[in-house]
Amino acid sequence: MAKSSDYNMGEFTFPRGWFMIADASELKDAPLPLRFFGKNFALFRGQSGRLVLLDGHCSHMGAHLAASASASIAVHGEQIEGDSIRCPYHGWRYTADGDLDDIPGFDGPCPKAAKLGSYRVEEVMGAIMMWHDPEGGEPEFDPPRLPEWDQPNWINGAYDHLGCLDIHPQEILDNMADSNHLGPTHGSPCEYFENEFDRHLYYQRQGGFRREYDAYLMTFTWYTGPGLLLSRQAIGDIRSIEFIFHTPVEDGMTKVWHNNLLQVAGDAPSEEDRAHAKHHQAEVLAAFGQDFDIWRNKMPALHIMSLPTERNFRLGRTWYRQFYNPRSQSAAFHAQTEGRHVPVHKLEPYEMSLELERA
Ligand code: FES
Ligand SMILES: [Fe+2]
């Protein structure tokens, strides 16, 4: 698998940004062991309801804080005390900030050097998201929150867990600039297509007739940072919002989730509406599966042999590199990408599509 250094991403192996790390429905009373960014983590919900994400391994002798379900204190549900967690091996206790504050049977001071890394986590639209930052800084933008998630005339899907792909996320990001795969891969060649870059935001507007649906499809798609894609879609009178969230697990390996929201006519969705929403989510997922099949079997595109009409690939890659480099360099990446870039233009459908953004 190709790695960040093979793509010349920049100083960091893993990017800065908000990333999905778990489906909120997976996190029950027990702590959850997670692996992302080449590291192990322990995720749990404290008794106050606070979400806590710590380095996975205890400073004492390296036991995993969240991966020993058979240990007695795990079986008896005694690992979590308030918003702190005890290691299942010898019971050392760590606070939500990662400080060691109790060692069973030892009266001396707890060693300060035992402190574990503690990471910012938020629950957003049924997903647990962490702020990952190689520089250890505070978030420089917020994760996306769709108003539709809480509106009664929208049906929220459950997350599809698509597992790990043996590819670098760069290959997934390339899809945003890829006007020419829409026909051969998805059966809906675009009539208009453009990208726009605005600091940590990367937009795509496109539309065209989709053969599988026998209808005109318009999409307005955007990344909030490097790992969270949302896409407002209109096919005939159907309105939906697709989610594609992806997070590096190792250098060159990426975990992917998918979801879909569907608008319904009234404020109280019927059983029939719910069945339709499930069916629609499966259809949208199948379209994403067309990309997945390509990614699973392709060679890494370390250098794209891009045509003059495909310069958005280079722009998209430049935009993405801001997250692999110190934030002090972000402005230089923005200066190279900012604004609208329009490889395929047709005015009338483009103007109609702007409705999607006002939704
Ligand atoms: S390894 Fe965690 S308390 Fe000993
Ligand atoms: Fe695609």
Side-chain angles (χ1 to χ4, degrees):
M1 60 195 175
K3 297 187 180 334
S4 288
S5 58
D6 298 319
Y7 291 89
N8 290 317
M9 298 312 299
E11 280 187 34
F12 308 139
T13 304
F14 298 108
R16 169 178 65 255
W18 284 103
F19 292 92
M20 180 165 178
I21 55 169
D23 178 338
S25 69
E26 289 173 280
L27 185 62
K28 308 272 195 276
D29 293 339
L32 200 61
L34 297 175
R35 185 167 176 86
F36 292 103
F37 310 106
K39 277 176 56 164
N40 292 323
F41 297 95
L43 173 71
F44 62 97
R45 206 183 282 280
Q47 284 161 346
S48 73
R50 175 175 171 182
L51 283 169
V52 182
L53 182 69
L54 299 177
D55 286 334
H57 295 281
C58 180
S59 300
H60 180 215
M61 288 172 64
H64 198 305
L65 296 179
S68 299
S70 63
S72 180
I73 63 166
V75 171
H76 290 95
E78 294 163 356
Q79 268 193 277
I80 294 166
E81 295 178 3
D83 289 344
S84 299
I85 184 168
R86 284 198 187 274
C87 175
Y89 206 3
H90 311 96
W92 289 24
R93 189 177 67 188
Y94 295 90
T95 69
D97 297 323
D99 292 310
L100 177 68
D101 76 341
D102 186 63
I103 297 176
F106 177 69
D107 290 336
C110 293
K112 292 244 181 309
K115 185 177 173 67
L116 298 177
S118 161
Y119 305 88
R120 176 98 170 242
V121 262
E122 285 191 26
E123 189 169 337
V124 182
M125 300 187 293
I128 296 175
M129 297 192 183
M130 81 174 280
W131 173 254
H132 177 262
D133 188 347
E135 296 172 283
E138 288 297 308
E140 52 189 342
F141 54 88
D142 291 328
R145 289 173 202 276
L146 293 168
E148 289 86 346
W149 185 266
D150 298 309
Q151 288 170 2
N153 61 330
W154 284 81
I155 298 178
N156 300 340
Y159 282 92
D160 299 304
H161 292 231
L162 304 185
C164 283
L165 270 174
D166 228 357
I167 59 165
H168 192 280
Q170 176 64 79
E171 303 278 341
I172 302 176
L173 262 295
D174 285 337
N175 216 33
M176 278 292 277
D178 197 347
S179 53
N180 289 325
H181 88 298
L182 296 167
T185 305
H186 298 300
S188 59
C190 56
E191 281 191 5
Y192 67 92
F193 186 100
E194 70 171 39
N195 294 119
E196 182 175 351
F197 302 92
D198 175 16
R199 298 157 299 138
H200 62 281
L201 299 163
Y202 178 1
Y203 301 102
Q204 179 207 72
R205 302 178 180 92
Q206 71 86 28
F209 194 81
R210 183 171 165 90
R211 148 160 98 178
E212 275 80 357
Y213 299 158
D214 195 24
Y216 199 90
L217 168 70
M218 291 191 293
T219 66
F220 169 64
T221 304
W222 72 103
Y223 267 93
T224 305
L228 305 172
L229 174 149
L230 295 170
S231 180
R232 293 185 190 276
Q233 308 188 345
I235 313 155
D237 50 12
I238 297 175
R239 296 287 176 279
S240 61
I241 307 175
E242 183 175 16
F243 296 30
I244 298 172
F245 293 163
H246 55 84
T247 308
V249 174
E250 310 288 348
D251 190 3
M253 185 196 278
T254 311
K255 190 162 184 174
V256 187
W257 294 265
H258 176 266
N259 204 342
N260 196 68
L261 269 52
L262 183 74
Q263 190 179 36
V264 293
D267 275 359
S270 63
E271 277 312 303
E272 200 182 328
D273 289 333
R274 292 192 187 283
H276 180 215
K278 275 214 167 91
H279 178 75
H280 187 261
Q281 178 160 346
E283 273 191 346
V284 176
L285 180 60
F288 184 41
Q290 293 171 317
D291 290 313
F292 236 72
D293 284 344
I294 298 278
W295 292 329
R296 254 195 219 106
N297 298 296
K298 77 188 294 298
M299 296 274 291
L302 298 181
H303 302 285
I304 299 176
M305 190 186 286
S306 69
L307 304 170
T309 49
E310 294 179 325
R311 59 187 288 274
N312 286 14
F313 280 130
R314 184 176 53 73
L315 291 164
R317 287 190 167 198
T318 302
W319 173 85
Y320 186 43
R321 277 177 175 73
Q322 69 179 296
F323 305 109
Y324 287 81
N325 286 282
R327 54 174 87 191
S328 60
Q329 295 177 24
S330 291
F333 290 99
H334 299 164
Q336 293 177 64
T337 52
E338 217 78 331
R340 286 174 61 201
H341 307 274
V342 189
V344 189
H345 188 60
K346 191 170 177 189
L347 190 61
E348 195 187 327
Y350 171 73
E351 286 188 334
M352 268 170 53
S353 78
L354 296 178
E355 277 298 306
L356 273 181
E357 295 174 45
R358 289 191 280 270

PDB file of all heavy atoms in Angstrom, residues 200-213:
ATOM      1  N   HIS A 200     -10.802  25.394   4.841  1.00  0.00           N
ATOM      2  CA  HIS A 200     -10.872  23.956   5.122  1.00  0.00           C
ATOM      3  C   HIS A 200     -12.032  23.291   4.389  1.00  0.00           C
ATOM      4  O   HIS A 200     -12.317  22.123   4.624  1.00  0.00           O
ATOM      5  CB  HIS A 200     -11.018  23.744   6.630  1.00  0.00           C
ATOM      6  CG  HIS A 200     -12.280  24.341   7.159  1.00  0.00           C
ATOM      7  ND1 HIS A 200     -12.417  25.687   7.410  1.00  0.00           N
ATOM      8  CD2 HIS A 200     -13.480  23.797   7.456  1.00  0.00           C
ATOM      9  CE1 HIS A 200     -13.647  25.935   7.844  1.00  0.00           C
ATOM     10  NE2 HIS A 200     -14.308  24.799   7.888  1.00  0.00           N
ATOM     11  N   LEU A 201     -12.720  24.020   3.530  1.00  0.00           N
ATOM     12  CA  LEU A 201     -13.897  23.495   2.822  1.00  0.00           C
ATOM     13  C   LEU A 201     -13.582  23.261   1.342  1.00  0.00           C
ATOM     14  O   LEU A 201     -12.892  24.077   0.721  1.00  0.00           O
ATOM     15  CB  LEU A 201     -15.061  24.480   2.940  1.00  0.00           C
ATOM     16  CG  LEU A 201     -15.528  24.740   4.378  1.00  0.00           C
ATOM     17  CD1 LEU A 201     -16.377  26.001   4.443  1.00  0.00           C
ATOM     18  CD2 LEU A 201     -16.299  23.541   4.906  1.00  0.00           C
ATOM     19  N   TYR A 202     -14.102  22.165   0.829  1.00  0.00           N
ATOM     20  CA  TYR A 202     -13.863  21.775  -0.569  1.00  0.00           C
ATOM     21  C   TYR A 202     -15.224  21.372  -1.125  1.00  0.00           C
ATOM     22  O   TYR A 202     -15.851  20.427  -0.636  1.00  0.00           O
ATOM     23  CB  TYR A 202     -12.875  20.604  -0.553  1.00  0.00           C
ATOM     24  CG  TYR A 202     -12.472  19.962  -1.862  1.00  0.00           C
ATOM     25  CD1 TYR A 202     -12.930  20.394  -3.105  1.00  0.00           C
ATOM     26  CD2 TYR A 202     -11.581  18.892  -1.841  1.00  0.00           C
ATOM     27  CE1 TYR A 202     -12.513  19.772  -4.279  1.00  0.00           C
ATOM     28  CE2 TYR A 202     -11.156  18.263  -3.016  1.00  0.00           C
ATOM     29  CZ  TYR A 202     -11.637  18.705  -4.225  1.00  0.00           C
ATOM     30  OH  TYR A 202     -11.229  18.084  -5.373  1.00  0.00           O
ATOM     31  N   TYR A 203     -15.713  22.115  -2.130  1.00  0.00           N
ATOM     32  CA  TYR A 203     -17.055  21.896  -2.679  1.00  0.00           C
ATOM     33  C   TYR A 203     -16.983  21.278  -4.068  1.00  0.00           C
ATOM     34  O   TYR A 203     -16.038  21.508  -4.813  1.00  0.00           O
ATOM     35  CB  TYR A 203     -17.789  23.231  -2.843  1.00  0.00           C
ATOM     36  CG  TYR A 203     -17.965  24.020  -1.568  1.00  0.00           C
ATOM     37  CD1 TYR A 203     -17.148  25.109  -1.283  1.00  0.00           C
ATOM     38  CD2 TYR A 203     -18.959  23.692  -0.654  1.00  0.00           C
ATOM     39  CE1 TYR A 203     -17.310  25.848  -0.119  1.00  0.00           C
ATOM     40  CE2 TYR A 203     -19.138  24.430   0.509  1.00  0.00           C
ATOM     41  CZ  TYR A 203     -18.310  25.509   0.768  1.00  0.00           C
ATOM     42  OH  TYR A 203     -18.483  26.227   1.906  1.00  0.00           O
ATOM     43  N   GLN A 204     -18.066  20.553  -4.396  1.00  0.00           N
ATOM     44  CA  GLN A 204     -18.261  20.065  -5.758  1.00  0.00           C
ATOM     45  C   GLN A 204     -19.734  20.258  -6.116  1.00  0.00           C
ATOM     46  O   GLN A 204     -20.614  19.907  -5.330  1.00  0.00           O
ATOM     47  CB  GLN A 204     -17.921  18.575  -5.833  1.00  0.00           C
ATOM     48  CG  GLN A 204     -18.101  17.953  -7.211  1.00  0.00           C
ATOM     49  CD  GLN A 204     -18.395  16.461  -7.099  1.00  0.00           C
ATOM     50  OE1 GLN A 204     -19.463  16.029  -6.699  1.00  0.00           O
ATOM     51  NE2 GLN A 204     -17.388  15.663  -7.415  1.00  0.00           N
ATOM     52  N   ARG A 205     -19.971  20.843  -7.278  1.00  0.00           N
ATOM     53  CA  ARG A 205     -21.345  20.956  -7.792  1.00  0.00           C
ATOM     54  C   ARG A 205     -21.366  20.241  -9.134  1.00  0.00           C
ATOM     55  O   ARG A 205     -20.535  20.538  -9.998  1.00  0.00           O
ATOM     56  CB  ARG A 205     -21.723  22.426  -7.992  1.00  0.00           C
ATOM     57  CG  ARG A 205     -21.625  23.249  -6.734  1.00  0.00           C
ATOM     58  CD  ARG A 205     -21.954  24.723  -6.990  1.00  0.00           C
ATOM     59  NE  ARG A 205     -21.851  25.485  -5.748  1.00  0.00           N
ATOM     60  CZ  ARG A 205     -20.739  26.111  -5.340  1.00  0.00           C
ATOM     61  NH1 ARG A 205     -19.636  26.087  -6.082  1.00  0.00           N
ATOM     62  NH2 ARG A 205     -20.726  26.759  -4.186  1.00  0.00           N
ATOM     63  N   GLN A 206     -22.319  19.318  -9.302  1.00  0.00           N
ATOM     64  CA  GLN A 206     -22.394  18.626 -10.592  1.00  0.00           C
ATOM     65  C   GLN A 206     -23.794  18.096 -10.823  1.00  0.00           C
ATOM     66  O   GLN A 206     -24.567  17.904  -9.875  1.00  0.00           O
ATOM     67  CB  GLN A 206     -21.344  17.513 -10.677  1.00  0.00           C
ATOM     68  CG  GLN A 206     -21.596  16.294  -9.797  1.00  0.00           C
ATOM     69  CD  GLN A 206     -22.493  15.250 -10.429  1.00  0.00           C
ATOM     70  OE1 GLN A 206     -22.545  15.112 -11.657  1.00  0.00           O
ATOM     71  NE2 GLN A 206     -23.236  14.520  -9.611  1.00  0.00           N
ATOM     72  N   GLY A 207     -24.097  17.828 -12.086  1.00  0.00           N
ATOM     73  CA  GLY A 207     -25.387  17.242 -12.411  1.00  0.00           C
ATOM     74  C   GLY A 207     -25.377  16.626 -13.796  1.00  0.00           C
ATOM     75  O   GLY A 207     -24.571  17.022 -14.659  1.00  0.00           O
ATOM     76  N   GLY A 208     -26.249  15.650 -13.980  1.00  0.00           N
ATOM     77  CA  GLY A 208     -26.369  15.006 -15.286  1.00  0.00           C
ATOM     78  C   GLY A 208     -27.402  13.897 -15.208  1.00  0.00           C
ATOM     79  O   GLY A 208     -27.869  13.545 -14.118  1.00  0.00           O
ATOM     80  N   PHE A 209     -27.747  13.340 -16.349  1.00  0.00           N
ATOM     81  CA  PHE A 209     -28.749  12.280 -16.400  1.00  0.00           C
ATOM     82  C   PHE A 209     -28.129  10.969 -15.935  1.00  0.00           C
ATOM     83  O   PHE A 209     -27.083  10.566 -16.423  1.00  0.00           O
ATOM     84  CB  PHE A 209     -29.284  12.144 -17.825  1.00  0.00           C
ATOM     85  CG  PHE A 209     -30.534  11.328 -17.889  1.00  0.00           C
ATOM     86  CD1 PHE A 209     -31.769  11.893 -17.586  1.00  0.00           C
ATOM     87  CD2 PHE A 209     -30.479   9.974 -18.206  1.00  0.00           C
ATOM     88  CE1 PHE A 209     -32.927  11.129 -17.615  1.00  0.00           C
ATOM     89  CE2 PHE A 209     -31.628   9.208 -18.234  1.00  0.00           C
ATOM     90  CZ  PHE A 209     -32.857   9.786 -17.942  1.00  0.00           C
ATOM     91  N   ARG A 210     -28.780  10.318 -14.957  1.00  0.00           N
ATOM     92  CA  ARG A 210     -28.237   9.061 -14.431  1.00  0.00           C
ATOM     93  C   ARG A 210     -29.031   7.890 -14.993  1.00  0.00           C
ATOM     94  O   ARG A 210     -30.231   7.750 -14.751  1.00  0.00           O
ATOM     95  CB  ARG A 210     -28.282   9.049 -12.904  1.00  0.00           C
ATOM     96  CG  ARG A 210     -27.646   7.791 -12.334  1.00  0.00           C
ATOM     97  CD  ARG A 210     -27.482   7.874 -10.836  1.00  0.00           C
ATOM     98  NE  ARG A 210     -27.217   6.549 -10.315  1.00  0.00           N
ATOM     99  CZ  ARG A 210     -26.015   5.997 -10.167  1.00  0.00           C
ATOM    100  NH1 ARG A 210     -24.949   6.692 -10.462  1.00  0.00           N
ATOM    101  NH2 ARG A 210     -25.879   4.779  -9.704  1.00  0.00           N
ATOM    102  N   ARG A 211     -28.308   7.058 -15.725  1.00  0.00           N
ATOM    103  CA  ARG A 211     -28.947   5.971 -16.450  1.00  0.00           C
ATOM    104  C   ARG A 211     -29.676   4.999 -15.513  1.00  0.00           C
ATOM    105  O   ARG A 211     -30.812   4.618 -15.760  1.00  0.00           O
ATOM    106  CB  ARG A 211     -27.838   5.327 -17.278  1.00  0.00           C
ATOM    107  CG  ARG A 211     -27.874   3.900 -17.571  1.00  0.00           C
ATOM    108  CD  ARG A 211     -26.991   3.629 -18.773  1.00  0.00           C
ATOM    109  NE  ARG A 211     -25.674   3.161 -18.338  1.00  0.00           N
ATOM    110  CZ  ARG A 211     -24.717   2.812 -19.185  1.00  0.00           C
ATOM    111  NH1 ARG A 211     -24.880   2.951 -20.468  1.00  0.00           N
ATOM    112  NH2 ARG A 211     -23.572   2.364 -18.737  1.00  0.00           N
ATOM    113  N   GLU A 212     -29.061   4.634 -14.384  1.00  0.00           N
ATOM    114  CA  GLU A 212     -29.686   3.652 -13.477  1.00  0.00           C
ATOM    115  C   GLU A 212     -31.015   4.155 -12.903  1.00  0.00           C
ATOM    116  O   GLU A 212     -31.898   3.374 -12.590  1.00  0.00           O
ATOM    117  CB  GLU A 212     -28.754   3.297 -12.313  1.00  0.00           C
ATOM    118  CG  GLU A 212     -27.758   2.197 -12.630  1.00  0.00           C
ATOM    119  CD  GLU A 212     -26.555   2.690 -13.421  1.00  0.00           C
ATOM    120  OE1 GLU A 212     -26.518   3.903 -13.780  1.00  0.00           O
ATOM    121  OE2 GLU A 212     -25.663   1.875 -13.713  1.00  0.00           O
ATOM    122  N   TYR A 213     -31.144   5.459 -12.700  1.00  0.00           N
ATOM    123  CA  TYR A 213     -32.378   6.004 -12.124  1.00  0.00           C
ATOM    124  C   TYR A 213     -33.346   6.493 -13.193  1.00  0.00           C
ATOM    125  O   TYR A 213     -34.468   6.882 -12.886  1.00  0.00           O
ATOM    126  CB  TYR A 213     -32.066   7.185 -11.194  1.00  0.00           C
ATOM    127  CG  TYR A 213     -31.196   6.857 -10.002  1.00  0.00           C
ATOM    128  CD1 TYR A 213     -30.471   7.875  -9.370  1.00  0.00           C
ATOM    129  CD2 TYR A 213     -31.117   5.580  -9.482  1.00  0.00           C
ATOM    130  CE1 TYR A 213     -29.665   7.599  -8.271  1.00  0.00           C
ATOM    131  CE2 TYR A 213     -30.315   5.304  -8.391  1.00  0.00           C
ATOM    132  CZ  TYR A 213     -29.589   6.317  -7.778  1.00  0.00           C
ATOM    133  OH  TYR A 213     -28.797   6.063  -6.702  1.00  0.00           O
TER     134      TYR A 213
END
